[in-house]
Amino acid sequence: MTSFGGAEMVDWNLAVATATRLVRPGPEVSRDEARAVVAELRRHAKTSERHVREFTRMMPEGMTPADTPVLVVDRAGWVKANVAGFRELLSPLLGKMQDRRAGTPGGAVLGAVGGKVTGVELGMLLSFLASRVLGQYETFAPAGLDLPGSATGGRLLLVAPNIVHVERELEVDPHDFRLWVCLHEETHRTQFTAVPWLREHLEGEIQTFLGATEMDPMTVLERLREAAQSFAGARPDAERGDEGRSLVELVQTPEQREVLARLTAVMSLLEGHADFVMDGVGPEVVPSVAEIREKFQQRRASGAGRLDAALRKLLGLDAKLRQYRDGERFVRAVVGQVGMDGFNRVWTSPNTLPTKSEIARPADWVARVHRKGSEQSEASEEV
């Protein structure tokens, strides 16, 4: 990893140690129950492959999908996996920042101290998230000895303690709930294995976003100060133009906002599609899907208290909840107009992905993509 004077920009080991120490323990289960949960999640992950592929029709006939592993992990395992992913994805940005710091007086000292501070902060963030994530398709997952990945990148994580915690909290059928969660996460795996260009496109957008980061530390500190004041209510009302935006949004450059609009549209599509599929497949294989969805939506909307709601807003997690909702509406509307095969034109190329405005107005995407396709077909017939 990029370092200066032996000090890393981010102390990744400290991040893992901090998160592991701070993360709350999972629900109490016996050893036999834990083994049963892990075995059932693995079975459901395998079963979900067929259900998702038949429903979405994304996998062409005869296509062999990339072999991506399924890992059932605890909260500490989720932390380790995500630190490895962050380290991989942020490497170019940290290298750029390190080069800039190399010419700064006292850069070595700043690097040593800053790496520790950042490691602790990242660990605190991950400890908060580690008890909330049910599952995750890690798109940019480097393989490791204890966390296998695939040659093309990617692995599916199912966080067993969190799944058990939520199914108990909602008082739903645990077997149905576990399969329902697996359907959502398997849809994400299918999206990236059936659409070969999607991973590279998403990585390119993220690297463009990171590459546009302002390297001036004083500028970043000033934006963070303004963000903190706006959320604390310390700024005068006349200056609160940024109130309600997340900390992530407040530290962006104008160039980054353009990239973020495209990323938001893609993530809304992916999350909404997964929600649409899990509910679409559900009635056939998850008898209590309607009850699960109703209770889960209520849980999403309410959060776990005032502190949880404040942290979700600050970290931009409320935006993710909107992505589920808006993206699902987009998918449902498009499938309703042009059917599943018509919707699947979205996976043709980056040019057929919906824009942020089209997510809100699905008919605009249908008009753009299907009119263009019809015009091309008519032109070929005339020739």
Side-chain angles (χ1 to χ4, degrees):
M1 189 61 193
T2 304
S3 62
F4 183 66
E8 290 186 324
M9 291 281 296
V10 179
D11 190 328
W12 301 104
N13 291 333
L14 183 57
V16 172
T18 301
T20 303
R21 184 175 68 255
L22 295 178
V23 71
R24 292 180 295 180
E28 292 186 8
V29 295
S30 67
R31 187 181 298 271
D32 288 342
E33 185 180 3
R35 289 197 185 103
V37 171
V38 170
E40 183 173 20
L41 287 173
R42 286 175 176 159
R43 289 196 306 272
H44 284 333
K46 185 65 178 176
T47 303
S48 296
E49 292 183 33
R50 176 173 58 83
H51 292 312
V52 170
R53 290 170 191 172
E54 289 178 355
F55 183 82
T56 64
R57 300 200 289 273
M58 288 180 63
M59 197 73 67
E61 191 71 28
M63 178 181 178
T64 302
D67 183 22
T68 55
V70 176
L71 306 180
V72 181
V73 298
D74 58 11
R75 291 170 177 176
W78 181 87
V79 167
K80 292 177 182 177
N82 275 267
V83 166
F86 281 142
R87 190 169 185 168
E88 181 85 1
L89 195 60
L90 295 177
S91 180
L93 172 65
L94 295 182
K96 185 177 179 181
M97 293 179 70
Q98 193 65 60
D99 290 341
R100 186 179 182 91
R101 178 181 287 174
T104 303
V109 175
L110 289 173
V113 175
K116 297 292 184 185
V117 172
T118 307
V120 170
E121 291 172 341
L122 178 59
M124 293 173 66
L125 169 63
L126 290 173
S127 71
F128 170 76
L129 297 175
S131 61
R132 287 159 173 76
V133 177
L134 301 182
Q136 173 186 2
Y137 182 75
E138 266 204 300
T139 314
F140 311 106
L145 295 177
D146 56 342
L147 290 167
S150 66
T152 57
R155 57 186 168 219
L156 183 60
L157 304 178
L158 297 169
V159 191
N162 296 348
I163 294 173
V164 172
H165 171 76
V166 174
E167 69 193 26
R168 290 179 178 180
E169 179 184 316
L170 298 181
E171 297 181 340
V172 294
D173 183 283
H175 309 293
D176 283 2
F177 184 73
R178 294 166 195 173
L179 177 55
W180 189 70
V181 171
C182 288
L183 288 169
H184 181 101
E185 303 308 331
E186 176 57 36
T187 302
H188 286 317
R189 182 163 67 157
T190 298
Q191 289 164 349
F192 284 94
T193 55
V195 186
W197 55 264
L198 185 58
R199 179 183 184 275
E200 183 177 350
H201 171 72
L202 194 58
E203 182 176 18
E205 290 282 60
I206 292 172
Q207 292 303 336
T208 300
F209 180 87
L210 296 176
T213 300
E214 292 181 349
M215 294 296 112
D216 178 10
M218 293 307 297
T219 301
V220 174
L221 288 174
E222 176 64 18
R223 291 193 177 194
L224 289 174
R225 183 187 65 80
E226 292 176 1
Q229 289 181 342
S230 70
F231 282 106
R235 297 172 65 190
D237 290 343
E239 299 177 12
R240 286 187 176 180
D242 288 332
E243 185 174 17
R245 293 164 58 191
S246 73
L247 182 61
V248 174
E249 291 175 305
L250 287 170
V251 298
Q252 289 167 16
T253 64
E255 293 79 7
Q256 285 178 306
R257 293 192 185 106
E258 294 180 7
V259 179
L260 185 71
R262 298 195 298 269
L263 279 171
T264 298
V266 174
M267 298 311 298
S268 296
L269 169 68
L270 299 180
E271 296 294 356
H273 182 235
D275 265 12
F276 177 80
V277 172
M278 73 194 296
D279 287 346
V281 173
E284 297 294 327
V285 298
V286 183
S288 60
V289 63
E291 177 191 2
I292 291 173
R293 167 56 72 187
E294 180 181 0
K295 290 183 175 180
F296 195 75
Q297 289 288 66
Q298 291 173 353
R299 183 180 186 273
R300 270 183 180 172
S302 64
R306 292 180 62 186
L307 177 60
D308 183 80
L311 285 170
R312 284 192 306 160
K313 184 174 184 179
L314 182 64
L315 298 172
L317 300 182
D318 279 346
K320 186 173 178 62
L321 298 183
R322 290 195 297 273
Q323 289 173 6
Y324 286 108
R325 181 193 65 216
D326 297 344
E328 195 274 342
R329 288 175 181 169
F330 170 83
V331 176
R332 185 174 300 280
V334 171
V335 171
Q337 291 184 56
V338 296
M340 184 64 75
D341 292 333
F343 165 78
N344 281 339
R345 287 197 189 181
V346 78
W347 312 116
T348 305
S349 75
N351 293 330
T352 56
L353 291 173
T355 64
K356 189 176 179 180
S357 64
E358 287 172 341
I359 288 288
R361 294 189 293 274
D364 291 354
W365 179 87
V366 172
R368 176 173 66 87
V369 173
H370 282 265
R371 181 189 302 126
K372 184 177 180 180
S374 299
E375 290 173 352
Q376 291 176 340
S377 177
E378 291 173 1
S380 62
E381 289 177 2
E382 292 175 1
V383 173

